[in-house]
Amino acid sequence: MAVNHGLKESNAGPDTAEMAAQEDLASKPGVRSLGHEEVSRRYRTLVEQLPLVIYIDELDASSSNIFTSKQIEPLLGYSVEEWASDKDLFVRTLHPDDRDRVLAAHADSHAMLTPLSLEYRLVARDGRVVSVRDEAVVVHDDSGSPLYLHGYLLDVTVERETQEQLRSLALFDPLTQLANRAFFQEQFHQAVATRKEGQSRTVLMFIDLNEFKTINDRWGHDAGDRVLQTLGRRIQETVRAGDAAARMGGDEFAVVLPAVDDPAEAARAAERLLERIRQPIEIDGEHLCVTASIGISLGDDVDAMLKEADAAMYRSKTQQDVGYAFYDAAVDSAAVQRSRRVAELRDALTRSEFRVDYQPIVALQEHKITTYEALLRWEHPREGLVAPLDFIPLAEESGLIVQIGTWVLEQACAFGAQLISEGREGIRVAVNVSARQLQDDEFAHRVAECLDAHDLPPDRLTLEITESVLLAAGDHVQRQLESLKTLGVMLALDDFGTGYASLAYLQRFPVDILKIDRTFTAQIASTAEPVLLKGIIELGSALGLTLIAEGIETIEQHQIVQQLGCHGAQGFYFGYPERIPVTDLLVPAIVASPAHDAGK
Ligand code: C2E
Ligand code: MG
Ligand code: MG
């Protein structure tokens, strides 16, 4: 497109240069016989119908415009006449951010006689920003002398806008317009990779708002969103050019300082951020104050830094008077381990690293299997089998137990249905349930759905909860338990005796089964009189509960709990937890002489 217009008087239609172009066309075989006028008409029709602005520019120093087609008018809102008479119009319509680049490219093309190919933005008369693709070539005469520049402008606004929207959706957080987590990871990797050599290190900061949840709870989500927007803007304004800021999700933000020579610089940056964040934010006439905790890591190992900044952030939460903390291996490495473990647990489900083993529970009088307890196993890819007690507490703390527990429930219901299909209708499956799962309003509903999906009658399922759940239980848990009871599933109290709940207290809850913890059965064979155990069994029976002794490993233990009137038992003596559990009891009902250990 011409840089300087109007040197020629007329721009209303094809003139000399265009005629030359037409002659060029006419010189092609098969076109020669047409008259000049006919060629001119055909050319004009062609030009006017193309969805492009066609232009011809002189190759003189000011690259004067010779011809511009009518399509310029719908594109930019200027008539062909205006375009011709105002020699600075093109330069003025160039988007200020693109102007220098476009003028340089035009100058280059004119000087070197090379083709022109570039994209830029023009501002139309009504202020619309129009993106165009500008392609032009130098046309030569028969002797090879350059004649003029012939080109077109193609409107690519819609394509660019769509592209921009897609790009922004993929890279930016829609609420704050800061980089999103994915884009931030990219920027962070980039920063570490291109950091200049020498003393400097890359700094990563995780910023987590303190008690942000109370803002959402108290003022509503709209107010919460506005607070996040304001803080996003403040963080962006506080970081320096070249630093990267992002929203990692929820109320978490992150900042990268690509190269820092002295950790004190990072500390100062953290102080500036904290200062800006705690300025009051006005929402509907109220002034809200939000504080944050910042965790800082320095280094050049991206993965390590992410975990370290996270661990440091957690520690800074415990020292809110300072507001920020640098990662310190001596105090934070346990936290790093922990967050690595949580990440592994999160992946374990999708990578099918969990499995469920089943351990039999037997009825002591009838001497048959009544139940299989589902026990979760984690096959860690490097560490091998990890015991439930080594990962379930973490799954509970991190909330992952909700998903994991649902998966176990699914597996167990499928197993229960399989037992029925094998003709073993009388056997139940027992599933351990954590407090965290019971806190979920949907829990009873989810159990019902699962039973339904597997066509398992509710009384074929026992849910085992631990005593501590009941001790800490609020009305909420009580209601969940009642819904479960209404549903028809059996409820068992697991590990009884470890949580100091009195039997009288348990009366409040709709429990059917009491599983007496291993600590009561472990020593009974050598104890003169197992007074406590006896007391629990007697009182439990009086309250109408089914009593099951856990941890039965020997025939002596088996005999004693049976003599004390316990209804059922579970332990290695009867069968280990196994993927395909024992189907028949390996021991006779009662052996008269306790001389040998028939357990495994
Ligand atoms: P629990 O529910 O009391 O399960 C019984 C535990 O005692 C199992 O340990 C079992 O292997 C072990 N055990 C059984 N018989 C004997 C015995 O004769 N001697 C000894 N020494 N131990 C015996 P495991 O499988 O390691 O599970 C530990 C705990 O992890 C379970 O205790 C339960 O509280 C929890 N757990 C297991 N699976 C799940 C699950 O899917 N969800 C939840 N929330 N917790 C689970
Ligand atoms: Mg259990
Ligand atoms: Mg137990």
Side-chain angles (χ1 to χ4, degrees), residues 373 432 464 494 515:
E373 179 174 4
N432 292 285
E464 298 193 0
D494 208 349
K515 294 184 76 177

Side-chain angles (χ1 to χ4, degrees), residues 373-375 430-433 464-466 494-495 515 550 570:
E373 179 174 4
L375 293 163
V431 174
N432 292 285
V433 173
E464 298 193 0
I465 47 177
T466 59
D494 208 349
D495 309 334
K515 294 184 76 177
E550 294 189 289
Q570 174 181 15

Side-chain angles (χ1 to χ4, degrees), residues 158-171:
V158 175
E159 286 91 323
R160 287 303 152 267
E161 278 173 1
T162 316
Q163 230 170 34
E164 189 49 40
Q165 275 166 8
L166 285 175
R167 196 182 86 89
S168 122
L169 276 178
L171 302 179

